[in-house]
Structures are given as structure tokens and as C-alpha cells.
Amino acid sequence: DIQMTQSPSSLSASVGDRVTITCRASQGITNSLAWYQQKPGKAPKLLLYAASRLETGVPSRFSGSGSGTAYTLTISSLQPEDFATYYCQQYYTTPYTFGQGTRLEIK
Amino acid sequence: EVQLVESGGVFIQPGGSLRLSCAASGFAFASFAMSWVRQTPGKGLEWVSTISESGSTYYADSVKGRFTVSRDTSKNTLYLQMNSLRAEDTAVYYCAKEARAYYFEYWGQGTLVTVSS
């Protein structure tokens, strides 16, 4: 199975900050990576796919990059509604696997 | 508008059986792969099973041989038959519509399954 390791596991930041979350795969996944946002009591919501493609309707302050085994999610200027938990997921092969999540909290 | 509505989650004893349903609307249900993903506080998000548009099925090792995914295209409904349930199957179960490239494009609101004596 492909292991997905996210860092950090939690992060405190302020409105307006730029934040970056990293996701590392245990083997190459050729950009078959998605990022999801989850708020308490809600289902995950797709933000980006193919490592860097923004899902329709997602604000442009969210961006993704990376290749091979290392990928990043960047939020350029945090807004109050962005405080949530973020997950990466590889869909290169089954079993599809997720990172353990990064909880983004208000400083 | 795509809608996915899960149902069937209950409190059940170990060894029991349960069928979850996911009613889909707002898209051509028969033309997309559908999946089940579960979430526990301790293990985070875990992919459980996928059924392709052609009916091929795929399972996580943790549920293989115990869970069966199926779909009824006449009812636009996805199912997950869960047998020989264990305490570690306790989770919120989400159904998800896959995009053409296999990531999870839309998610339902989830249904809670609790396995405990």
C-alpha cells in the first residue's frame, strides 16, 4: 500500500497568513493526488485534484504543487472560513490512501 | 445539483450484519464509479470499497470477504452489505462519487455505524 504522510499534523495561524501543508507518498504517484477540506461534523470537500488543479468553485487562494512523491497545499491568505482539517489522498492505485490530516487552527 | 444521501447506520453487536444505502441524484449514476469511505477518530479517513461503472468491485484488505458493494442503476442507489461486523468497523461511512480520474468529487453527509456489545 502507498503510505501518505502529511506534515504538520496541526498548525496555528492567523487570518491573512500564508500557510503550506506537505504530503509525502511512500512511492511515486505521478500527480494522482487530491486535497480535501473538512469542517467539524461535515463531509470532506474536494479542493484540488491532479496535484494542482483547482476544483470548480474553490477560491484561488488555494493552490497545489509537487511531483513524484512530494506535494504541497498552499493557502495564500487565510480567511476565517479556512480553519478546518485538510487531507491529502492518492488515487494512483488501490487501496486509495489518505494522509492523517492537518488541523489548521486560529492563532 | 449532485446529492448523495446515506442511510442505514445503526448501533449493532459484533458479528452482526447491516446494509448501508446511498441514494444518488443530479448526475448520470450509471456512468460513474462510486465508493465508500469511512472515518474514525483514531484512523482518520479510510477507503473501503469502489464499484466501477461496469460493475467491477474493489475492496480494502480490512473488509475483503466481509463487505460487498453493489449498485442498482434503476434506483440510482449504492449499497454496502456489511457482514461479520467488528468493533473496528465502527465509523462514519460516506458514499462518494468518483470523478473520471478516481478522486472523490462529491461526498454524502455520512451515516454512523457503531459496533459494540
Short mmCIF file of all heavy atoms in Angstrom, two decimals, chain A residues 1 34 36 38 41-46 48-50 55 87 89 91 94-100, chain B residues 35 37 39 44-47 50 58-61 94 98 101-110:
data_model
loop_
_atom_site.label_atom_id
_atom_site.label_comp_id
_atom_site.label_asym_id
_atom_site.label_seq_id
_atom_site.Cartn_x
_atom_site.Cartn_y
_atom_site.Cartn_z
N ASP A 1 0.83 -1.19 0.00
CA ASP A 1 0.00 0.00 0.00
C ASP A 1 0.88 1.25 0.00
O ASP A 1 1.97 1.26 0.57
CB ASP A 1 -0.91 0.03 1.24
CG ASP A 1 -1.87 -1.13 1.31
OD1 ASP A 1 -1.83 -1.99 0.40
OD2 ASP A 1 -2.64 -1.19 2.28
N ALA A 34 -5.12 14.33 -4.54
CA ALA A 34 -6.22 15.26 -4.27
C ALA A 34 -6.07 15.82 -2.86
O ALA A 34 -5.48 15.17 -1.99
CB ALA A 34 -7.57 14.56 -4.41
N TYR A 36 -8.45 17.64 0.27
CA TYR A 36 -9.81 17.84 0.76
C TYR A 36 -9.76 18.71 2.01
O TYR A 36 -8.80 18.67 2.78
CB TYR A 36 -10.47 16.50 1.13
CG TYR A 36 -10.53 15.52 -0.02
CD1 TYR A 36 -9.50 14.62 -0.23
CD2 TYR A 36 -11.62 15.49 -0.87
CE1 TYR A 36 -9.54 13.72 -1.28
CE2 TYR A 36 -11.68 14.59 -1.92
CZ TYR A 36 -10.64 13.72 -2.12
OH TYR A 36 -10.69 12.83 -3.16
N GLN A 38 -12.08 19.51 5.46
CA GLN A 38 -13.20 19.01 6.26
C GLN A 38 -13.41 19.89 7.47
O GLN A 38 -12.47 20.17 8.22
CB GLN A 38 -12.96 17.56 6.71
CG GLN A 38 -14.17 16.95 7.40
CD GLN A 38 -13.96 15.51 7.79
OE1 GLN A 38 -12.86 15.09 8.11
NE2 GLN A 38 -15.04 14.73 7.74
N GLY A 41 -18.11 17.86 11.79
CA GLY A 41 -19.45 17.37 11.55
C GLY A 41 -19.87 17.35 10.11
O GLY A 41 -21.03 17.03 9.80
N LYS A 42 -18.95 17.68 9.20
CA LYS A 42 -19.27 17.73 7.78
C LYS A 42 -18.43 16.72 7.01
O LYS A 42 -17.41 16.24 7.48
CB LYS A 42 -19.00 19.14 7.21
CG LYS A 42 -19.81 20.24 7.88
CD LYS A 42 -21.28 20.09 7.61
CE LYS A 42 -22.07 21.28 8.12
NZ LYS A 42 -23.53 21.12 7.87
N ALA A 43 -18.87 16.43 5.79
CA ALA A 43 -18.10 15.55 4.92
C ALA A 43 -16.90 16.31 4.35
O ALA A 43 -16.92 17.54 4.26
CB ALA A 43 -18.98 15.06 3.77
N PRO A 44 -15.88 15.59 3.96
CA PRO A 44 -14.77 16.25 3.25
C PRO A 44 -15.27 16.89 1.97
O PRO A 44 -16.23 16.44 1.35
CB PRO A 44 -13.81 15.10 2.96
CG PRO A 44 -14.11 14.07 4.00
CD PRO A 44 -15.59 14.17 4.21
N LYS A 45 -14.57 17.96 1.57
CA LYS A 45 -14.89 18.69 0.36
C LYS A 45 -13.65 18.74 -0.52
O LYS A 45 -12.56 19.08 -0.03
CB LYS A 45 -15.34 20.11 0.70
CG LYS A 45 -15.53 21.03 -0.50
CD LYS A 45 -15.73 22.46 -0.04
CE LYS A 45 -15.72 23.43 -1.22
NZ LYS A 45 -15.80 24.85 -0.79
N LEU A 46 -13.81 18.39 -1.78
CA LEU A 46 -12.68 18.40 -2.71
C LEU A 46 -12.23 19.83 -2.97
O LEU A 46 -13.03 20.70 -3.32
CB LEU A 46 -13.10 17.73 -4.02
CG LEU A 46 -12.07 17.73 -5.14
CD1 LEU A 46 -10.86 16.86 -4.76
CD2 LEU A 46 -12.70 17.25 -6.45
N LEU A 48 -8.62 20.36 -4.55
CA LEU A 48 -7.74 20.26 -5.71
C LEU A 48 -7.60 18.80 -6.10
O LEU A 48 -7.71 17.89 -5.25
CB LEU A 48 -6.34 20.82 -5.43
CG LEU A 48 -6.24 22.31 -5.12
CD1 LEU A 48 -5.96 22.52 -3.64
CD2 LEU A 48 -5.14 22.97 -5.94
N TYR A 49 -7.31 18.55 -7.38
CA TYR A 49 -7.03 17.22 -7.88
C TYR A 49 -5.88 17.33 -8.88
O TYR A 49 -5.49 18.44 -9.25
CB TYR A 49 -8.28 16.60 -8.53
CG TYR A 49 -8.81 17.40 -9.70
CD1 TYR A 49 -8.45 17.09 -11.00
CD2 TYR A 49 -9.69 18.47 -9.50
CE1 TYR A 49 -8.94 17.82 -12.07
CE2 TYR A 49 -10.18 19.21 -10.56
CZ TYR A 49 -9.80 18.88 -11.84
OH TYR A 49 -10.27 19.61 -12.90
N ALA A 50 -5.37 16.19 -9.26
CA ALA A 50 -4.18 16.16 -10.13
C ALA A 50 -3.09 17.09 -9.58
O ALA A 50 -2.39 17.76 -10.34
CB ALA A 50 -4.54 16.54 -11.57
N GLU A 55 -10.58 22.64 -8.02
CA GLU A 55 -11.95 22.23 -8.27
C GLU A 55 -12.81 23.48 -8.51
O GLU A 55 -12.57 24.55 -7.91
CB GLU A 55 -12.48 21.43 -7.08
CG GLU A 55 -13.95 21.06 -7.11
CD GLU A 55 -14.33 20.06 -8.19
OE1 GLU A 55 -13.49 19.76 -9.06
OE2 GLU A 55 -15.48 19.60 -8.17
N TYR A 87 -6.82 17.10 4.25
CA TYR A 87 -6.32 15.76 3.97
C TYR A 87 -5.83 15.68 2.53
O TYR A 87 -6.46 16.22 1.61
CB TYR A 87 -7.44 14.71 4.12
CG TYR A 87 -7.97 14.55 5.51
CD1 TYR A 87 -9.09 15.27 5.93
CD2 TYR A 87 -7.39 13.66 6.41
CE1 TYR A 87 -9.61 15.11 7.21
CE2 TYR A 87 -7.91 13.50 7.70
CZ TYR A 87 -9.00 14.23 8.08
OH TYR A 87 -9.51 14.08 9.35
N GLN A 89 -4.84 12.78 -0.49
CA GLN A 89 -5.25 11.42 -0.87
C GLN A 89 -4.62 11.06 -2.20
O GLN A 89 -4.66 11.85 -3.15
CB GLN A 89 -6.76 11.32 -1.00
CG GLN A 89 -7.29 9.96 -1.44
CD GLN A 89 -8.15 10.02 -2.67
OE1 GLN A 89 -8.74 11.04 -3.00
NE2 GLN A 89 -8.24 8.91 -3.41
N TYR A 91 -4.76 8.71 -5.50
CA TYR A 91 -5.65 7.84 -6.26
C TYR A 91 -4.89 7.20 -7.43
O TYR A 91 -5.47 6.84 -8.44
CB TYR A 91 -6.89 8.60 -6.74
CG TYR A 91 -6.63 9.90 -7.48
CD1 TYR A 91 -6.55 9.92 -8.86
CD2 TYR A 91 -6.50 11.10 -6.79
CE1 TYR A 91 -6.33 11.11 -9.54
CE2 TYR A 91 -6.29 12.30 -7.45
CZ TYR A 91 -6.19 12.30 -8.83
OH TYR A 91 -5.98 13.47 -9.50
N THR A 94 -5.32 1.48 -6.08
CA THR A 94 -5.99 0.98 -4.88
C THR A 94 -5.01 0.13 -4.07
O THR A 94 -4.11 -0.49 -4.64
CB THR A 94 -7.22 0.13 -5.24
OG1 THR A 94 -6.81 -0.97 -6.08
CG2 THR A 94 -8.27 0.95 -5.97
N PRO A 95 -5.14 0.12 -2.76
CA PRO A 95 -6.10 0.89 -1.98
C PRO A 95 -5.79 2.38 -1.98
O PRO A 95 -4.64 2.77 -1.72
CB PRO A 95 -5.96 0.29 -0.58
CG PRO A 95 -4.54 -0.19 -0.53
CD PRO A 95 -4.23 -0.67 -1.90
N TYR A 96 -6.81 3.19 -2.31
CA TYR A 96 -6.62 4.63 -2.20
C TYR A 96 -6.30 4.95 -0.74
O TYR A 96 -6.90 4.37 0.17
CB TYR A 96 -7.89 5.37 -2.60
CG TYR A 96 -8.39 5.03 -4.00
CD1 TYR A 96 -9.74 4.80 -4.23
CD2 TYR A 96 -7.52 4.98 -5.08
CE1 TYR A 96 -10.21 4.51 -5.49
CE2 TYR A 96 -7.99 4.69 -6.35
CZ TYR A 96 -9.33 4.46 -6.56
OH TYR A 96 -9.80 4.17 -7.81
N THR A 97 -5.39 5.83 -0.50
CA THR A 97 -4.97 6.13 0.86
C THR A 97 -4.91 7.63 1.11
O THR A 97 -4.64 8.42 0.20
CB THR A 97 -3.61 5.49 1.18
OG1 THR A 97 -2.70 5.75 0.09
CG2 THR A 97 -3.73 3.99 1.38
N PHE A 98 -5.19 7.98 2.35
CA PHE A 98 -5.24 9.37 2.78
C PHE A 98 -4.08 9.66 3.73
O PHE A 98 -3.60 8.77 4.45
CB PHE A 98 -6.54 9.64 3.54
CG PHE A 98 -7.78 9.55 2.70
CD1 PHE A 98 -8.40 8.33 2.46
CD2 PHE A 98 -8.36 10.69 2.17
CE1 PHE A 98 -9.55 8.25 1.70
CE2 PHE A 98 -9.52 10.63 1.40
CZ PHE A 98 -10.11 9.40 1.17
N GLY A 99 -3.70 10.93 3.77
CA GLY A 99 -2.84 11.39 4.84
C GLY A 99 -3.63 11.43 6.14
O GLY A 99 -4.86 11.33 6.15
N GLN A 100 -2.92 11.62 7.24
CA GLN A 100 -3.57 11.57 8.55
C GLN A 100 -4.29 12.87 8.89
O GLN A 100 -5.01 12.95 9.89
CB GLN A 100 -2.55 11.23 9.64
CG GLN A 100 -1.68 12.39 10.10
CD GLN A 100 -0.51 12.69 9.17
OE1 GLN A 100 -0.45 12.23 8.03
NE2 GLN A 100 0.45 13.46 9.68
N SER B 35 -17.92 5.01 -4.52
CA SER B 35 -17.09 4.44 -3.46
C SER B 35 -17.72 4.64 -2.09
O SER B 35 -18.58 5.49 -1.90
CB SER B 35 -15.70 5.10 -3.47
OG SER B 35 -14.97 4.72 -4.59
N VAL B 37 -16.20 5.38 1.79
CA VAL B 37 -15.03 5.80 2.58
C VAL B 37 -15.52 5.94 4.01
O VAL B 37 -16.62 6.46 4.25
CB VAL B 37 -14.47 7.15 2.08
CG1 VAL B 37 -13.29 7.60 2.96
CG2 VAL B 37 -14.04 7.05 0.62
N GLN B 39 -14.64 6.93 8.26
CA GLN B 39 -13.82 7.82 9.08
C GLN B 39 -14.01 7.50 10.54
O GLN B 39 -15.13 7.46 11.04
CB GLN B 39 -14.15 9.28 8.82
CG GLN B 39 -13.24 10.26 9.55
CD GLN B 39 -13.46 11.69 9.09
OE1 GLN B 39 -14.56 12.09 8.72
NE2 GLN B 39 -12.38 12.47 9.08
N GLY B 44 -8.62 8.14 11.09
CA GLY B 44 -8.83 9.10 10.03
C GLY B 44 -9.69 8.54 8.92
O GLY B 44 -10.57 7.73 9.14
N LEU B 45 -9.41 8.99 7.69
CA LEU B 45 -10.18 8.57 6.53
C LEU B 45 -9.60 7.28 5.95
O LEU B 45 -8.39 7.16 5.76
CB LEU B 45 -10.17 9.67 5.47
CG LEU B 45 -10.97 10.93 5.81
CD1 LEU B 45 -10.57 12.08 4.90
CD2 LEU B 45 -12.46 10.65 5.71
N GLU B 46 -10.47 6.34 5.65
CA GLU B 46 -10.05 5.05 5.10
C GLU B 46 -10.97 4.67 3.95
O GLU B 46 -12.18 4.54 4.13
CB GLU B 46 -10.09 3.97 6.18
CG GLU B 46 -9.67 2.61 5.69
CD GLU B 46 -9.87 1.51 6.73
OE1 GLU B 46 -10.62 1.71 7.69
OE2 GLU B 46 -9.28 0.42 6.56
N TRP B 47 -10.39 4.48 2.78
CA TRP B 47 -11.16 3.97 1.66
C TRP B 47 -11.59 2.54 1.95
O TRP B 47 -10.80 1.74 2.45
CB TRP B 47 -10.30 4.02 0.40
CG TRP B 47 -10.90 3.28 -0.75
CD1 TRP B 47 -11.93 3.69 -1.56
CD2 TRP B 47 -10.53 1.99 -1.23
NE1 TRP B 47 -12.20 2.74 -2.51
CE2 TRP B 47 -11.35 1.68 -2.33
CE3 TRP B 47 -9.56 1.05 -0.85
CZ2 TRP B 47 -11.25 0.49 -3.04
CZ3 TRP B 47 -9.45 -0.13 -1.54
CH2 TRP B 47 -10.29 -0.41 -2.63
N THR B 50 -14.93 0.32 -3.83
CA THR B 50 -15.34 1.03 -5.03
C THR B 50 -16.03 0.06 -5.97
O THR B 50 -15.64 -1.11 -6.06
CB THR B 50 -14.11 1.64 -5.75
OG1 THR B 50 -13.56 2.69 -4.96
CG2 THR B 50 -14.47 2.19 -7.13
N TYR B 58 -13.87 -3.38 -5.89
CA TYR B 58 -12.55 -3.31 -5.27
C TYR B 58 -12.76 -3.07 -3.78
O TYR B 58 -13.66 -2.33 -3.39
CB TYR B 58 -11.73 -2.16 -5.87
CG TYR B 58 -11.66 -2.21 -7.37
CD1 TYR B 58 -12.65 -1.61 -8.15
CD2 TYR B 58 -10.63 -2.87 -8.01
CE1 TYR B 58 -12.62 -1.68 -9.53
CE2 TYR B 58 -10.58 -2.93 -9.40
CZ TYR B 58 -11.58 -2.33 -10.15
OH TYR B 58 -11.55 -2.40 -11.52
N TYR B 59 -11.91 -3.70 -2.96
CA TYR B 59 -12.09 -3.62 -1.52
C TYR B 59 -10.76 -3.38 -0.80
O TYR B 59 -9.71 -3.88 -1.23
CB TYR B 59 -12.69 -4.91 -0.98
CG TYR B 59 -14.06 -5.22 -1.54
CD1 TYR B 59 -14.21 -6.05 -2.64
CD2 TYR B 59 -15.21 -4.66 -0.96
CE1 TYR B 59 -15.46 -6.33 -3.16
CE2 TYR B 59 -16.46 -4.94 -1.48
CZ TYR B 59 -16.59 -5.76 -2.58
OH TYR B 59 -17.83 -6.04 -3.08
N ALA B 60 -10.84 -2.71 0.32
CA ALA B 60 -9.70 -2.65 1.23
C ALA B 60 -9.51 -4.03 1.86
O ALA B 60 -10.48 -4.77 2.08
CB ALA B 60 -9.95 -1.61 2.32
N ASP B 61 -8.27 -4.36 2.15
CA ASP B 61 -8.00 -5.68 2.76
C ASP B 61 -8.76 -5.86 4.06
O ASP B 61 -9.15 -6.98 4.42
CB ASP B 61 -6.49 -5.83 3.02
CG ASP B 61 -5.71 -6.09 1.75
OD1 ASP B 61 -6.34 -6.41 0.70
OD2 ASP B 61 -4.47 -5.98 1.78
N TYR B 94 -19.15 7.23 4.53
CA TYR B 94 -19.53 8.16 3.49
C TYR B 94 -19.61 7.44 2.15
O TYR B 94 -18.74 6.60 1.85
CB TYR B 94 -18.49 9.28 3.34
CG TYR B 94 -18.33 10.19 4.52
CD1 TYR B 94 -17.28 10.03 5.41
CD2 TYR B 94 -19.20 11.25 4.73
CE1 TYR B 94 -17.10 10.90 6.48
CE2 TYR B 94 -19.04 12.12 5.80
CZ TYR B 94 -17.99 11.93 6.67
OH TYR B 94 -17.82 12.79 7.73
N GLU B 98 -17.04 9.21 -7.66
CA GLU B 98 -15.69 9.41 -8.20
C GLU B 98 -15.77 10.22 -9.49
O GLU B 98 -16.69 10.08 -10.28
CB GLU B 98 -15.02 8.07 -8.47
CG GLU B 98 -14.66 7.31 -7.21
CD GLU B 98 -13.69 6.17 -7.47
OE1 GLU B 98 -13.10 6.12 -8.56
OE2 GLU B 98 -13.50 5.34 -6.56
N ALA B 101 -11.18 10.49 -13.06
CA ALA B 101 -9.80 10.15 -12.71
C ALA B 101 -9.68 9.57 -11.31
O ALA B 101 -8.58 9.50 -10.79
CB ALA B 101 -8.92 11.39 -12.84
N TYR B 102 -10.80 9.15 -10.72
CA TYR B 102 -10.82 8.34 -9.50
C TYR B 102 -10.69 9.08 -8.18
O TYR B 102 -10.69 8.44 -7.13
CB TYR B 102 -9.78 7.21 -9.55
CG TYR B 102 -9.82 6.45 -10.85
CD1 TYR B 102 -8.70 6.39 -11.66
CD2 TYR B 102 -10.98 5.83 -11.28
CE1 TYR B 102 -8.74 5.72 -12.87
CE2 TYR B 102 -11.02 5.16 -12.49
CZ TYR B 102 -9.90 5.10 -13.28
OH TYR B 102 -9.93 4.44 -14.47
N TYR B 103 -10.57 10.40 -8.17
CA TYR B 103 -10.63 11.08 -6.88
C TYR B 103 -12.11 11.25 -6.51
O TYR B 103 -13.00 11.02 -7.32
CB TYR B 103 -9.89 12.42 -6.92
CG TYR B 103 -10.31 13.32 -8.06
CD1 TYR B 103 -11.37 14.21 -7.92
CD2 TYR B 103 -9.65 13.28 -9.29
CE1 TYR B 103 -11.75 15.02 -8.96
CE2 TYR B 103 -10.03 14.08 -10.34
CZ TYR B 103 -11.09 14.95 -10.16
OH TYR B 103 -11.47 15.75 -11.21
N PHE B 104 -12.37 11.65 -5.27
CA PHE B 104 -13.73 11.71 -4.75
C PHE B 104 -14.27 13.12 -4.93
O PHE B 104 -13.94 14.04 -4.20
CB PHE B 104 -13.75 11.28 -3.29
CG PHE B 104 -13.16 9.91 -3.08
CD1 PHE B 104 -12.07 9.73 -2.26
CD2 PHE B 104 -13.69 8.81 -3.72
CE1 PHE B 104 -11.51 8.47 -2.07
CE2 PHE B 104 -13.14 7.55 -3.55
CZ PHE B 104 -12.05 7.38 -2.73
N GLU B 105 -15.13 13.24 -5.93
CA GLU B 105 -15.62 14.54 -6.38
C GLU B 105 -16.73 15.08 -5.47
O GLU B 105 -16.79 16.27 -5.18
CB GLU B 105 -16.11 14.39 -7.81
CG GLU B 105 -16.40 15.67 -8.53
CD GLU B 105 -16.82 15.37 -9.97
OE1 GLU B 105 -17.34 14.27 -10.24
OE2 GLU B 105 -16.64 16.27 -10.81
N TYR B 106 -17.62 14.21 -5.06
CA TYR B 106 -18.72 14.59 -4.19
C TYR B 106 -18.87 13.54 -3.09
O TYR B 106 -18.65 12.35 -3.33
CB TYR B 106 -20.04 14.70 -4.96
CG TYR B 106 -20.07 15.82 -5.96
CD1 TYR B 106 -19.80 15.56 -7.31
CD2 TYR B 106 -20.36 17.12 -5.59
CE1 TYR B 106 -19.82 16.58 -8.25
CE2 TYR B 106 -20.38 18.14 -6.53
CZ TYR B 106 -20.10 17.87 -7.85
OH TYR B 106 -20.11 18.87 -8.78
N TRP B 107 -19.29 14.01 -1.91
CA TRP B 107 -19.46 13.14 -0.76
C TRP B 107 -20.87 13.31 -0.19
O TRP B 107 -21.42 14.41 -0.22
CB TRP B 107 -18.46 13.50 0.34
CG TRP B 107 -17.01 13.39 -0.01
CD1 TRP B 107 -16.34 14.07 -0.99
CD2 TRP B 107 -16.06 12.55 0.63
NE1 TRP B 107 -15.01 13.70 -0.99
CE2 TRP B 107 -14.81 12.78 -0.01
CE3 TRP B 107 -16.11 11.64 1.68
CZ2 TRP B 107 -13.64 12.12 0.38
CZ3 TRP B 107 -14.94 10.99 2.07
CH2 TRP B 107 -13.72 11.23 1.42
N GLY B 108 -21.40 12.23 0.37
CA GLY B 108 -22.63 12.34 1.12
C GLY B 108 -22.35 12.89 2.51
O GLY B 108 -21.19 13.19 2.85
N GLN B 109 -23.38 12.98 3.31
CA GLN B 109 -23.23 13.55 4.66
C GLN B 109 -22.76 12.53 5.68
O GLN B 109 -22.35 12.90 6.78
CB GLN B 109 -24.58 14.17 5.12
CG GLN B 109 -25.55 13.21 5.78
CD GLN B 109 -26.21 12.23 4.82
OE1 GLN B 109 -26.09 12.36 3.60
NE2 GLN B 109 -26.93 11.27 5.37
N GLY B 110 -22.78 11.25 5.32
CA GLY B 110 -22.29 10.20 6.19
C GLY B 110 -23.37 9.57 7.05
O GLY B 110 -24.39 10.20 7.36
#
